[in-house]
Amino acid sequence: MPEELRNEEEEAAFELEFSRMLQESLDSRKTDRRPTAFDVAIPTRVKFVTEGDNGDRAAAVGEDSVAFALLTKRGNKQQLKAMALPKDSQFALSTKIKQEEEMEEKQQLKRLVLNYEEKERE
């Protein structure tokens, strides 16, 4: 009987400590600020609107720069503006890395699906 009582006490102490640990975790996460990612696909069939733009975006982008589209919104009207950023800028590099990672993931998924289909045929 004393052993059962001791197990109940240990279990109660464990539950209490576990509850405290969960509460501390929740409290610490409340104060953490998570960056909100605004990752929206840009419509591909939208005409770029820039001052003095004659429709030839490639001419404005040199060897040491990359073309980006800036989506702006005034009221309900959205506009895309073509921008040329240096290739070595942090934004351009991180975007390129992200695109490469997404392509690699897509290729890996494609290989998995093709392997699965091949195994199904056998």
Side-chain angles (χ1 to χ4, degrees), residues 24-114:
E24 286 176 13
S25 177
L26 284 173
D27 291 342
S28 68
R29 287 182 174 222
K30 284 181 183 177
T31 59
D32 289 347
R33 296 223 174 198
R34 293 183 204 115
T36 55
F38 183 72
D39 193 14
V40 176
I42 297 174
T44 56
R45 304 192 91 178
V46 176
K47 190 175 187 179
F48 286 95
V49 178
T50 58
E51 292 182 35
D53 188 10
N54 60 1
D56 189 14
R57 288 189 307 131
V61 179
E63 291 180 16
D64 59 342
S65 60
V66 181
F68 279 94
L70 176 66
L71 179 65
T72 60
K73 184 175 179 180
R74 283 193 180 159
N76 291 334
K77 186 176 178 183
Q78 294 180 348
Q79 287 185 331
L80 286 175
K81 295 188 179 188
M83 296 181 68
L85 296 177
K87 282 186 178 180
D88 60 349
S89 70
Q90 185 176 357
F91 183 75
L93 292 174
S94 64
T95 302
K96 182 178 178 183
I97 290 170
K98 183 178 177 184
Q99 287 175 343
E100 289 172 355
E101 288 173 352
E102 288 174 354
M103 271 307 257
E104 180 61 34
E105 183 180 357
K106 186 177 179 180
Q107 290 296 327
Q108 184 180 5
L109 186 59
K110 183 178 178 180
R111 285 191 301 267
L112 287 172
V113 169
L114 291 175

